[in-house]
Amino acid sequence: MADNLFKIKIVSPERIFFTGNASLVEFNTSEGEIGIYKGHIPLTVIIAPGILTLHLTDEKKVAALHSGFAEILPDSITILAEIVEWPEEIDLSRAEAAKERAEERLSARTPETDLARAETALHRASARLHISKK
């Protein structure tokens, strides 16, 4: 194994989504975007909806990562994801409809509108659409 690689494991309730080695892992947290290299300080973060990018030895993989937690250690990272999807697993028409619904809720802004929920739905749909169109 190359000196700059570290172990990554991504688990969702349905499956072990990915295990392998990466030189860099990027995703969104509740505090903003984060990039993790080998030797990162130990950290636990809350995942925010967005794009997960895995920089592997000979390729770069992307997935839609919606929520969960990550444990970051100097030589490994474990992501416990509520939902995580590869581009080929995404239903494009469903994601487009979800984005439209979220945008409508946000623009209507009635007293009954749960703005946080609508914003999260918009972020999830946007991440799905972004990676599925690449």
PDB file of all heavy atoms in Angstrom, residues 105-127:
ATOM      1  N   ARG A 105     -41.807  24.630  -1.939  1.00  0.00           N
ATOM      2  CA  ARG A 105     -42.034  24.847  -0.511  1.00  0.00           C
ATOM      3  C   ARG A 105     -41.248  26.050  -0.009  1.00  0.00           C
ATOM      4  O   ARG A 105     -41.749  26.853   0.781  1.00  0.00           O
ATOM      5  CB  ARG A 105     -41.648  23.606   0.295  1.00  0.00           C
ATOM      6  CG  ARG A 105     -42.725  22.567   0.310  1.00  0.00           C
ATOM      7  CD  ARG A 105     -42.397  21.453   1.302  1.00  0.00           C
ATOM      8  NE  ARG A 105     -42.329  20.219   0.555  1.00  0.00           N
ATOM      9  CZ  ARG A 105     -41.310  19.373   0.529  1.00  0.00           C
ATOM     10  NH1 ARG A 105     -40.246  19.592   1.254  1.00  0.00           N
ATOM     11  NH2 ARG A 105     -41.353  18.290  -0.187  1.00  0.00           N
ATOM     12  N   LEU A 106     -40.001  26.165  -0.472  1.00  0.00           N
ATOM     13  CA  LEU A 106     -39.162  27.280  -0.022  1.00  0.00           C
ATOM     14  C   LEU A 106     -39.653  28.619  -0.560  1.00  0.00           C
ATOM     15  O   LEU A 106     -39.590  29.631   0.128  1.00  0.00           O
ATOM     16  CB  LEU A 106     -37.703  27.046  -0.428  1.00  0.00           C
ATOM     17  CG  LEU A 106     -36.986  25.962   0.367  1.00  0.00           C
ATOM     18  CD1 LEU A 106     -35.645  25.633  -0.269  1.00  0.00           C
ATOM     19  CD2 LEU A 106     -36.803  26.385   1.817  1.00  0.00           C
ATOM     20  N   SER A 107     -40.156  28.639  -1.789  1.00  0.00           N
ATOM     21  CA  SER A 107     -40.635  29.902  -2.348  1.00  0.00           C
ATOM     22  C   SER A 107     -41.998  30.300  -1.776  1.00  0.00           C
ATOM     23  O   SER A 107     -42.296  31.484  -1.638  1.00  0.00           O
ATOM     24  CB  SER A 107     -40.693  29.831  -3.872  1.00  0.00           C
ATOM     25  OG  SER A 107     -41.648  28.887  -4.292  1.00  0.00           O
ATOM     26  N   ALA A 108     -42.824  29.318  -1.396  1.00  0.00           N
ATOM     27  CA  ALA A 108     -44.148  29.614  -0.831  1.00  0.00           C
ATOM     28  C   ALA A 108     -44.017  30.202   0.572  1.00  0.00           C
ATOM     29  O   ALA A 108     -44.710  31.152   0.924  1.00  0.00           O
ATOM     30  CB  ALA A 108     -44.999  28.348  -0.802  1.00  0.00           C
ATOM     31  N   ARG A 109     -43.171  29.629   1.407  1.00  0.00           N
ATOM     32  CA  ARG A 109     -42.905  30.085   2.776  1.00  0.00           C
ATOM     33  C   ARG A 109     -44.179  30.408   3.565  1.00  0.00           C
ATOM     34  O   ARG A 109     -44.326  31.491   4.113  1.00  0.00           O
ATOM     35  CB  ARG A 109     -41.974  31.281   2.783  1.00  0.00           C
ATOM     36  CG  ARG A 109     -40.572  30.932   2.396  1.00  0.00           C
ATOM     37  CD  ARG A 109     -39.651  32.103   2.614  1.00  0.00           C
ATOM     38  NE  ARG A 109     -38.328  31.764   2.173  1.00  0.00           N
ATOM     39  CZ  ARG A 109     -37.306  31.564   2.981  1.00  0.00           C
ATOM     40  NH1 ARG A 109     -37.440  31.701   4.274  1.00  0.00           N
ATOM     41  NH2 ARG A 109     -36.128  31.236   2.507  1.00  0.00           N
ATOM     42  N   THR A 110     -45.060  29.446   3.618  1.00  0.00           N
ATOM     43  CA  THR A 110     -46.248  29.618   4.445  1.00  0.00           C
ATOM     44  C   THR A 110     -45.862  29.354   5.901  1.00  0.00           C
ATOM     45  O   THR A 110     -44.820  28.751   6.172  1.00  0.00           O
ATOM     46  CB  THR A 110     -47.358  28.640   4.014  1.00  0.00           C
ATOM     47  OG1 THR A 110     -46.914  27.312   4.277  1.00  0.00           O
ATOM     48  CG2 THR A 110     -47.718  28.813   2.549  1.00  0.00           C
ATOM     49  N   PRO A 111     -46.704  29.761   6.846  1.00  0.00           N
ATOM     50  CA  PRO A 111     -46.387  29.495   8.258  1.00  0.00           C
ATOM     51  C   PRO A 111     -46.240  28.004   8.572  1.00  0.00           C
ATOM     52  O   PRO A 111     -45.546  27.633   9.494  1.00  0.00           O
ATOM     53  CB  PRO A 111     -47.575  30.088   9.014  1.00  0.00           C
ATOM     54  CG  PRO A 111     -48.135  31.112   8.090  1.00  0.00           C
ATOM     55  CD  PRO A 111     -47.887  30.601   6.699  1.00  0.00           C
ATOM     56  N   GLU A 112     -46.882  27.155   7.776  1.00  0.00           N
ATOM     57  CA  GLU A 112     -46.804  25.714   7.994  1.00  0.00           C
ATOM     58  C   GLU A 112     -45.548  25.089   7.389  1.00  0.00           C
ATOM     59  O   GLU A 112     -45.250  23.928   7.642  1.00  0.00           O
ATOM     60  CB  GLU A 112     -48.037  25.008   7.391  1.00  0.00           C
ATOM     61  CG  GLU A 112     -49.350  25.399   8.029  1.00  0.00           C
ATOM     62  CD  GLU A 112     -49.892  26.727   7.488  1.00  0.00           C
ATOM     63  OE1 GLU A 112     -49.664  27.037   6.310  1.00  0.00           O
ATOM     64  OE2 GLU A 112     -50.527  27.449   8.270  1.00  0.00           O
ATOM     65  N   THR A 113     -44.810  25.841   6.583  1.00  0.00           N
ATOM     66  CA  THR A 113     -43.637  25.296   5.905  1.00  0.00           C
ATOM     67  C   THR A 113     -42.505  25.048   6.891  1.00  0.00           C
ATOM     68  O   THR A 113     -42.109  25.936   7.640  1.00  0.00           O
ATOM     69  CB  THR A 113     -43.142  26.269   4.804  1.00  0.00           C
ATOM     70  OG1 THR A 113     -44.197  26.513   3.880  1.00  0.00           O
ATOM     71  CG2 THR A 113     -41.958  25.683   4.064  1.00  0.00           C
ATOM     72  N   ASP A 114     -42.006  23.840   6.879  1.00  0.00           N
ATOM     73  CA  ASP A 114     -40.829  23.485   7.677  1.00  0.00           C
ATOM     74  C   ASP A 114     -39.613  23.808   6.803  1.00  0.00           C
ATOM     75  O   ASP A 114     -39.215  23.013   5.949  1.00  0.00           O
ATOM     76  CB  ASP A 114     -40.881  22.005   8.045  1.00  0.00           C
ATOM     77  CG  ASP A 114     -39.740  21.570   8.932  1.00  0.00           C
ATOM     78  OD1 ASP A 114     -38.717  22.292   9.003  1.00  0.00           O
ATOM     79  OD2 ASP A 114     -39.858  20.500   9.551  1.00  0.00           O
ATOM     80  N   LEU A 115     -39.049  25.000   6.995  1.00  0.00           N
ATOM     81  CA  LEU A 115     -37.963  25.469   6.142  1.00  0.00           C
ATOM     82  C   LEU A 115     -36.720  24.587   6.224  1.00  0.00           C
ATOM     83  O   LEU A 115     -36.090  24.312   5.199  1.00  0.00           O
ATOM     84  CB  LEU A 115     -37.603  26.920   6.472  1.00  0.00           C
ATOM     85  CG  LEU A 115     -38.682  27.954   6.165  1.00  0.00           C
ATOM     86  CD1 LEU A 115     -38.236  29.348   6.604  1.00  0.00           C
ATOM     87  CD2 LEU A 115     -39.019  27.948   4.679  1.00  0.00           C
ATOM     88  N   ALA A 116     -36.364  24.142   7.405  1.00  0.00           N
ATOM     89  CA  ALA A 116     -35.173  23.292   7.553  1.00  0.00           C
ATOM     90  C   ALA A 116     -35.348  21.989   6.768  1.00  0.00           C
ATOM     91  O   ALA A 116     -34.427  21.542   6.077  1.00  0.00           O
ATOM     92  CB  ALA A 116     -34.904  23.004   9.018  1.00  0.00           C
ATOM     93  N   ARG A 117     -36.533  21.414   6.860  1.00  0.00           N
ATOM     94  CA  ARG A 117     -36.797  20.165   6.130  1.00  0.00           C
ATOM     95  C   ARG A 117     -36.770  20.397   4.618  1.00  0.00           C
ATOM     96  O   ARG A 117     -36.221  19.598   3.866  1.00  0.00           O
ATOM     97  CB  ARG A 117     -38.148  19.609   6.566  1.00  0.00           C
ATOM     98  CG  ARG A 117     -38.461  18.280   5.956  1.00  0.00           C
ATOM     99  CD  ARG A 117     -39.734  17.708   6.528  1.00  0.00           C
ATOM    100  NE  ARG A 117     -40.100  16.515   5.778  1.00  0.00           N
ATOM    101  CZ  ARG A 117     -41.287  15.989   5.759  1.00  0.00           C
ATOM    102  NH1 ARG A 117     -42.253  16.531   6.458  1.00  0.00           N
ATOM    103  NH2 ARG A 117     -41.534  14.918   5.062  1.00  0.00           N
ATOM    104  N   ALA A 118     -37.350  21.507   4.167  1.00  0.00           N
ATOM    105  CA  ALA A 118     -37.352  21.818   2.738  1.00  0.00           C
ATOM    106  C   ALA A 118     -35.936  22.074   2.226  1.00  0.00           C
ATOM    107  O   ALA A 118     -35.575  21.634   1.136  1.00  0.00           O
ATOM    108  CB  ALA A 118     -38.245  23.025   2.463  1.00  0.00           C
ATOM    109  N   GLU A 119     -35.122  22.770   3.013  1.00  0.00           N
ATOM    110  CA  GLU A 119     -33.738  23.022   2.606  1.00  0.00           C
ATOM    111  C   GLU A 119     -32.936  21.729   2.538  1.00  0.00           C
ATOM    112  O   GLU A 119     -32.143  21.527   1.615  1.00  0.00           O
ATOM    113  CB  GLU A 119     -33.071  24.008   3.567  1.00  0.00           C
ATOM    114  CG  GLU A 119     -33.562  25.424   3.400  1.00  0.00           C
ATOM    115  CD  GLU A 119     -33.018  26.376   4.452  1.00  0.00           C
ATOM    116  OE1 GLU A 119     -32.376  25.926   5.428  1.00  0.00           O
ATOM    117  OE2 GLU A 119     -33.251  27.581   4.295  1.00  0.00           O
ATOM    118  N   THR A 120     -33.142  20.840   3.499  1.00  0.00           N
ATOM    119  CA  THR A 120     -32.447  19.546   3.479  1.00  0.00           C
ATOM    120  C   THR A 120     -32.871  18.738   2.260  1.00  0.00           C
ATOM    121  O   THR A 120     -32.031  18.134   1.589  1.00  0.00           O
ATOM    122  CB  THR A 120     -32.734  18.764   4.774  1.00  0.00           C
ATOM    123  OG1 THR A 120     -32.244  19.535   5.875  1.00  0.00           O
ATOM    124  CG2 THR A 120     -32.062  17.404   4.766  1.00  0.00           C
ATOM    125  N   ALA A 121     -34.161  18.733   1.957  1.00  0.00           N
ATOM    126  CA  ALA A 121     -34.659  18.016   0.780  1.00  0.00           C
ATOM    127  C   ALA A 121     -34.049  18.590  -0.494  1.00  0.00           C
ATOM    128  O   ALA A 121     -33.681  17.842  -1.410  1.00  0.00           O
ATOM    129  CB  ALA A 121     -36.180  18.085   0.722  1.00  0.00           C
ATOM    130  N   LEU A 122     -33.911  19.902  -0.558  1.00  0.00           N
ATOM    131  CA  LEU A 122     -33.310  20.541  -1.727  1.00  0.00           C
ATOM    132  C   LEU A 122     -31.839  20.143  -1.862  1.00  0.00           C
ATOM    133  O   LEU A 122     -31.376  19.816  -2.955  1.00  0.00           O
ATOM    134  CB  LEU A 122     -33.450  22.066  -1.635  1.00  0.00           C
ATOM    135  CG  LEU A 122     -32.860  22.858  -2.792  1.00  0.00           C
ATOM    136  CD1 LEU A 122     -33.503  22.472  -4.121  1.00  0.00           C
ATOM    137  CD2 LEU A 122     -33.018  24.347  -2.533  1.00  0.00           C
ATOM    138  N   HIS A 123     -31.092  20.127  -0.756  1.00  0.00           N
ATOM    139  CA  HIS A 123     -29.682  19.725  -0.796  1.00  0.00           C
ATOM    140  C   HIS A 123     -29.535  18.270  -1.239  1.00  0.00           C
ATOM    141  O   HIS A 123     -28.651  17.941  -2.036  1.00  0.00           O
ATOM    142  CB  HIS A 123     -29.014  19.930   0.567  1.00  0.00           C
ATOM    143  CG  HIS A 123     -28.814  21.363   0.930  1.00  0.00           C
ATOM    144  ND1 HIS A 123     -28.040  22.234   0.206  1.00  0.00           N
ATOM    145  CD2 HIS A 123     -29.302  22.087   1.966  1.00  0.00           C
ATOM    146  CE1 HIS A 123     -28.053  23.423   0.767  1.00  0.00           C
ATOM    147  NE2 HIS A 123     -28.826  23.368   1.841  1.00  0.00           N
ATOM    148  N   ARG A 124     -30.388  17.406  -0.728  1.00  0.00           N
ATOM    149  CA  ARG A 124     -30.330  15.989  -1.106  1.00  0.00           C
ATOM    150  C   ARG A 124     -30.609  15.808  -2.595  1.00  0.00           C
ATOM    151  O   ARG A 124     -29.895  15.102  -3.299  1.00  0.00           O
ATOM    152  CB  ARG A 124     -31.336  15.178  -0.297  1.00  0.00           C
ATOM    153  CG  ARG A 124     -30.936  14.950   1.127  1.00  0.00           C
ATOM    154  CD  ARG A 124     -31.978  14.140   1.866  1.00  0.00           C
ATOM    155  NE  ARG A 124     -31.530  13.842   3.212  1.00  0.00           N
ATOM    156  CZ  ARG A 124     -32.134  13.032   4.031  1.00  0.00           C
ATOM    157  NH1 ARG A 124     -33.256  12.420   3.663  1.00  0.00           N
ATOM    158  NH2 ARG A 124     -31.649  12.805   5.236  1.00  0.00           N
ATOM    159  N   ALA A 125     -31.668  16.440  -3.068  1.00  0.00           N
ATOM    160  CA  ALA A 125     -32.027  16.313  -4.486  1.00  0.00           C
ATOM    161  C   ALA A 125     -30.941  16.910  -5.376  1.00  0.00           C
ATOM    162  O   ALA A 125     -30.591  16.331  -6.405  1.00  0.00           O
ATOM    163  CB  ALA A 125     -33.368  16.995  -4.749  1.00  0.00           C
ATOM    164  N   SER A 126     -30.384  18.036  -4.977  1.00  0.00           N
ATOM    165  CA  SER A 126     -29.328  18.675  -5.767  1.00  0.00           C
ATOM    166  C   SER A 126     -28.091  17.788  -5.855  1.00  0.00           C
ATOM    167  O   SER A 126     -27.471  17.674  -6.916  1.00  0.00           O
ATOM    168  CB  SER A 126     -28.958  20.030  -5.172  1.00  0.00           C
ATOM    169  OG  SER A 126     -30.052  20.913  -5.255  1.00  0.00           O
ATOM    170  N   ALA A 127     -27.716  17.152  -4.749  1.00  0.00           N
ATOM    171  CA  ALA A 127     -26.559  16.247  -4.759  1.00  0.00           C
ATOM    172  C   ALA A 127     -26.819  15.066  -5.688  1.00  0.00           C
ATOM    173  O   ALA A 127     -25.952  14.685  -6.478  1.00  0.00           O
ATOM    174  CB  ALA A 127     -26.253  15.754  -3.348  1.00  0.00           C
TER     175      ALA A 127
END
